[in-house]
Amino acid sequence: MEKPKTELQLILEFLKSRFLFPLKSVAFKLYFITIIVVVGLASSSIGLLGSIDLSKNLDINAISLSLIGYSLVLLCSSAIEFIFIGFKEDEVLYQNLKNPISMLGISAIIFGIFLSIIAFYLVNVWFKLSIGILMTIGVWLMWWISNSRTLSVLSDYPPQVPDTTGGVVTGNTEQLQGTITSEYTA
């Protein structure tokens, strides 16, 4: 008899399945790269434009705080997906994990806030920058996993084509009841 999986094993299996699911979607990967990475980083860096002085060194402290702020915002939006998680039809196995996965989201927010406060008060700007970079990479991973089954850019592959045999759509539609009166028939 096979030993039942522990809760931790099921959570890790769930996270792995959520990580792997969107790899087949070009639209999801493009959305992630363009919107989450490029636009997200660019928009969080707008505040740095005023502090750029090419005659001086870059302000590593400002860059670090910008990264940490971006990470914290993305972390909270990703964690909300875990807190209010909805499972898809093929994820029935994980239905009993709703509370542990919600706690994962809550814990991530608390840990992110705690790490941000620590980083804010650090004197060493390079250590602060390291925290900002690690938080950003970790939050990208969390966003990928938490949004892998909910984002509208995901589509079924291969696409479902309705059956139109005999000119009547019989695929994913409901058949209407009734008769066609003689004035509409030829």
Side-chain angles (χ1 to χ4, degrees):
M1 189 167 126
E2 189 176 318
K3 187 178 176 182
K5 294 181 180 178
T6 65
E7 187 176 75
L8 180 60
Q9 288 173 323
L10 286 172
I11 290 171
L12 292 174
E13 186 179 291
F14 168 77
L15 294 174
K16 180 182 175 186
S17 72
R18 284 278 180 116
F19 176 78
L20 296 175
F21 184 80
L23 290 178
K24 61 187 173 194
S25 172
V26 173
F28 186 89
K29 289 185 269 190
L30 287 173
Y31 182 88
F32 175 76
I33 291 167
T34 56
I35 304 301
I36 302 304
V37 176
V38 175
V39 173
L41 284 175
S43 63
S44 70
S45 302
I46 287 177
L48 297 174
L49 293 178
S51 66
I52 293 177
D53 185 359
L54 297 177
S55 64
K56 298 180 183 177
N57 291 335
L58 288 175
D59 185 0
I60 302 300
N61 188 52
I63 293 170
S64 303
L65 293 177
S66 177
L67 273 177
I68 291 168
Y70 163 75
S71 298
L72 199 54
V73 169
L74 193 58
L75 168 74
C76 290
S77 69
S78 300
I80 292 295
E81 291 292 330
F82 281 143
I83 293 169
F84 299 108
I85 191 156
F87 296 99
K88 301 297 179 185
E89 303 83 37
D90 59 336
E91 296 179 318
V92 174
L93 172 67
Y94 308 117
Q95 289 288 344
N96 293 334
L97 297 177
K98 187 169 182 60
N99 289 339
I101 292 172
S102 294
M103 281 308 300
L104 184 66
I106 293 168
S107 301
I109 291 174
I110 293 169
F111 181 72
I113 291 170
F114 182 70
L115 198 57
S116 298
I117 291 170
I118 290 173
F120 182 77
Y121 289 106
L122 284 176
V123 176
N124 186 328
V125 293
W126 295 106
F127 191 56
K128 188 182 292 193
L129 181 63
S130 299
I131 289 175
I133 291 170
L134 290 175
M135 277 183 69
T136 301
I137 293 169
V139 168
W140 284 340
L141 178 65
M142 185 173 179
W143 183 92
W144 181 280
I145 292 170
S146 67
N147 287 280
S148 68
R149 298 298 296 265
T150 59
L151 207 59
S152 63
V153 296
L154 285 170
S155 60
D156 293 331
Y157 187 81
Q160 301 285 335
V161 179
D163 180 14
T164 57
T165 312
V168 177
V169 177
T170 59
N172 296 330
T173 62
E174 296 178 28
Q175 189 173 16
L176 299 174
Q177 300 297 321
T179 57
I180 299 175
T181 60
S182 62
E183 63 187 83
Y184 296 110
T185 59

